[in-house]
Amino acid sequence: IMRLNEDSLENEVKERAKERYNQIGKVMAEQAEDDPSLRGFGTTMTMALSLGKDLLLAHIGDSRAYLLRRGTLHQLTRDHTLAQALVDSGVITPQDASTHRMRHVLTKSLGATSGAKEPDIQEIGIQDGDGMLLCTDGLTEMVPDPKIAAIMGGEETAENACRRLVDEALKAGGKDNVTVIVARYALPQEKPDKTK
């Protein structure tokens, strides 16, 4: 599958992503049954699959995916937390959510809790020069979005950007684990049709 331009292919890829998330959740639940010390444990998972100019995102929890386009950072995922639920219901503002005491209480995760959990799945069109960031809240809690955007856009390689982002989070206090994945997209330019 190299493109998601057919509905049947897009649906198949999305269904496979849901199946994988459910398989992981099932294995984690089985481990918790076998080991009582794991009761109640869970994890977040955000993944991206690049298929040509298409990007498929699957997401559960509060790890995030961002798109850097022309110097502006756009959050692509929605946190599955009680604080975000309060924002969605109009009880608190998005600015309040970043420091709210319920910002780490997950409403959806993979883990030992019963029942299948479906990820949020979305497709995004990629443009030449775009950057993608997948990260845990150990980064986003410690480094503000404008600084993340500046580092992603200013480093020569994706690897250097990852190192700098982790270093900045640790320098700011590193209160949680910091996982960072950066990808950059250089798409081939379409050649004009000379037959016309």
Side-chain angles (χ1 to χ4, degrees), residues 5-6 8 12 15 22 26 41-42 53 58-59 65 74 78-79 109 115-116 122-123 129 134 141 159-160 169 177 189:
N5 58 356
E6 293 179 33
S8 61
E12 182 179 343
E15 285 305 312
N22 284 323
K26 183 179 177 186
F41 84 123
K53 292 182 179 182
H59 163 74
H74 305 274
R78 182 185 157 282
D79 293 347
S109 64
Q122 59 182 305
E123 181 189 349
L134 303 178
E141 290 250 325
E159 182 179 358
N160 288 351
N177 64 20
Q189 300 299 316

Side-chain angles (χ1 to χ4, degrees), residues 140-160:
T140 55
E141 290 250 325
M142 306 310 294
V143 183
D145 287 1
K147 190 166 199 170
I148 291 172
I151 291 170
M152 285 183 66
E155 289 296 325
E156 250 182 71
T157 66
E159 182 179 358
N160 288 351

Side-chain angles (χ1 to χ4, degrees), residues 36-55:
S37 71
L38 299 177
R39 191 163 295 137
F41 84 123
T43 191
T44 66
M45 187 165 85
T46 301
M47 67 175 200
L49 172 65
S50 296
L51 297 168
K53 292 182 179 182
D54 296 313
L55 178 74

Side-chain angles (χ1 to χ4, degrees), residues 33-131:
E33 277 184 35
D34 294 341
D35 183 351
S37 71
L38 299 177
R39 191 163 295 137
F41 84 123
T43 191
T44 66
M45 187 165 85
T46 301
M47 67 175 200
L49 172 65
S50 296
L51 297 168
K53 292 182 179 182
D54 296 313
L55 178 74
L56 187 72
L57 287 175
H59 163 74
I60 282 182
D62 63 353
S63 294
R64 294 179 178 174
Y66 290 87
L67 179 71
L68 181 69
R69 180 168 286 164
R70 292 188 280 286
T72 302
L73 195 65
H74 305 274
Q75 183 176 335
L76 301 175
T77 52
R78 182 185 157 282
D79 293 347
H80 297 129
T81 62
L82 283 178
Q84 183 61 53
L86 293 171
V87 169
D88 294 345
S89 63
V91 174
I92 65 173
T93 67
Q95 295 76 22
D96 293 337
S98 65
T99 58
H100 197 276
R101 62 186 174 86
M102 297 293 192
R103 71 185 181 279
H104 297 294
V105 180
L106 296 174
T107 56
K108 194 192 282 191
S109 64
L110 291 171
T113 56
S114 62
K117 301 288 172 76
E118 284 204 12
D120 293 347
I121 297 178
Q122 59 182 305
E123 181 189 349
I124 290 143
I126 293 298
Q127 297 178 9
D128 186 51
D130 282 351

